[in-house]
């Protein structure tokens, strides 16, 4: 899969980040410019089918009752348009979506306001995942997609350490691993592997690993993997 063809929007996005001295890690940096210019090739405009499949059809395979999380809080970092955060909230879990880009947060709030029967237990805030203040006691659930692959591989240990700080012991981290492309050079999105997630999450135990059967339209089979990790006690 090393020869996957990338759309022009991806190259333009990379240019914006390459010209950002903060490597996108500021609310005025490359990611904000991408949202302002509507260069968001990662934005599917809807809930990820693999997440819908996991929560609605395959969650019993995870082995942790979803109802046991409903009194807690969920996090979606790099939430973008917020579809995944709103979907988690529909399952009765108070959900926070954060994004570095103020424009992305505006888009998420507007999208929620225009959604029929939208959940009222989801909020969107501008924030840096590595610096924001989590709720007392930590999050019970988090979903990570197009975030791990967006940061440079050298930041992955910090990514995993941070999840270990914001998720409570026994809490869950859902990762939709993408793109699994072997040794494809460059990014974002940077190629990932299941082993890369494992290595970045020493404070977590992997309790689920399956190939999703439902994928976003146009997605090449085999480039996604649904992983669920449980924070060690």
């Amino acid at each position: 899969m090393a020869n996957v063809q990338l759309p022009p929007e991806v190259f333009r996005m990379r240019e914006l980040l390459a010209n950002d001295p903060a490597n996108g890690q500021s609310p005025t940096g490359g990611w904000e410019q991408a949202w302002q210019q509507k260069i968001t090739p990662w934005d599917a405009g809807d809930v990820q089918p693999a997440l819908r499949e996991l929560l609605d059809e395959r969650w019993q395979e995870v082995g942790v009752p979803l109802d046991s999380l409903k009194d807690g809080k969920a996090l979606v970092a790099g939430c973008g348009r917020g579809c995944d955060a709103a979907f988690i909230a529909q399952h009765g879990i108070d959900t926070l979506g954060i994004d570095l880009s103020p424009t992305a947060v505006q888009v998420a709030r507007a999208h929620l306001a225009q959604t029929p029967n939208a959940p009222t237990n989801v909020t969107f805030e501008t924030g840096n995942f590595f610096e924001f203040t989590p709720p007392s006691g930590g999050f019970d659930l988090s979903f990570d997609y197009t975030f791990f692959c967006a940061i440079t591989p050298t930041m992955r240990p910090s990514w995993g350490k941070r999840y270990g700080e914001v998720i409570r012991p026994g809490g869950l981290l859902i990762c939709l691993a993408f793109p699994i492309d072997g040794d494809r050079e460059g990014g974002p999105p940077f190629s990932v592997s299941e082993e890369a997630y494992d290595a970045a999450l020493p404070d977590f135990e992997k309790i689920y690993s399956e190939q999703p059967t439902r994928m976003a339209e146009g997605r090449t089979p085999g480039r996604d993997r649904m992983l669920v990790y449980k924070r060690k006690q």
Side-chain angles (χ1 to χ4, degrees):
M1 293 190 182
N3 294 320
V4 172
Q5 295 297 313
L6 300 176
E9 293 86 351
V10 172
F11 291 104
R12 178 57 183 145
M13 176 188 67
R14 290 181 177 182
E15 288 179 355
L16 292 173
L17 290 169
N19 293 327
D20 179 4
N23 194 32
Q25 297 302 303
S26 75
T28 59
W31 296 115
E32 169 65 359
Q33 296 302 312
W35 277 100
Q36 287 184 357
Q37 298 181 36
K38 298 182 180 180
I39 303 171
T40 55
W42 64 88
D43 177 28
D46 200 357
V47 181
Q48 282 300 311
L51 179 63
R52 189 185 296 277
E53 177 186 39
L54 178 68
L55 293 189
D56 289 351
E57 302 175 26
R58 305 181 70 171
W59 187 258
Q60 63 181 4
E61 300 173 30
V62 174
V64 178
L66 197 59
D67 286 347
S68 69
L69 305 173
K70 290 186 177 181
D71 291 332
K73 296 183 182 299
L75 169 70
V76 179
C79 65
R81 188 174 299 272
C83 301
D84 297 323
F87 179 69
I88 293 172
Q90 288 175 338
H91 288 74
I93 307 169
D94 291 349
T95 304
L96 170 66
I98 63 171
D99 203 289
L100 271 172
S101 165
T103 298
V105 172
Q106 292 173 8
V107 169
R109 290 172 177 171
H111 183 79
L112 184 72
Q114 297 165 3
T115 301
N117 303 314
T120 59
N121 60 332
V122 59
T123 57
F124 298 105
E125 302 291 343
T126 302
N128 187 324
F129 170 71
F130 296 99
E131 299 175 357
F132 84 107
T133 302
S136 176
F139 291 98
D140 297 75
L141 177 69
S142 187
F143 177 57
D144 193 284
Y145 172 63
T146 63
F147 184 28
F148 186 79
C149 69
I151 59 175
T152 59
T154 57
M155 294 178 66
R156 290 174 179 176
S158 296
W159 170 93
K161 181 176 183 293
R162 183 59 170 158
Y163 270 119
E165 295 169 347
V166 304
I167 296 177
R168 66 165 176 80
L172 303 180
L173 171 60
I174 301 171
C175 297
L176 179 51
F178 170 85
I180 301 174
D181 283 337
D183 296 327
R184 178 176 57 78
E185 295 182 0
F190 294 94
S191 291
V192 305
S193 67
E194 184 169 350
E195 292 75 16
Y197 283 85
D198 293 347
L201 294 166
D203 295 332
F204 290 79
E205 172 192 5
K206 185 167 60 185
I207 60 174
Y208 180 89
S209 172
E210 293 291 341
Q211 177 73 44
T213 63
R214 305 185 192 281
M215 297 171 292
E217 184 177 354
R219 182 65 54 81
T220 302
R223 299 184 76 203
D224 303 74
R225 187 120 185 133
M226 185 60 83
L227 311 170
V228 181
Y229 295 87
K230 185 175 182 180
R231 167 88 189 281
K232 296 175 183 177
Q233 300 287 345

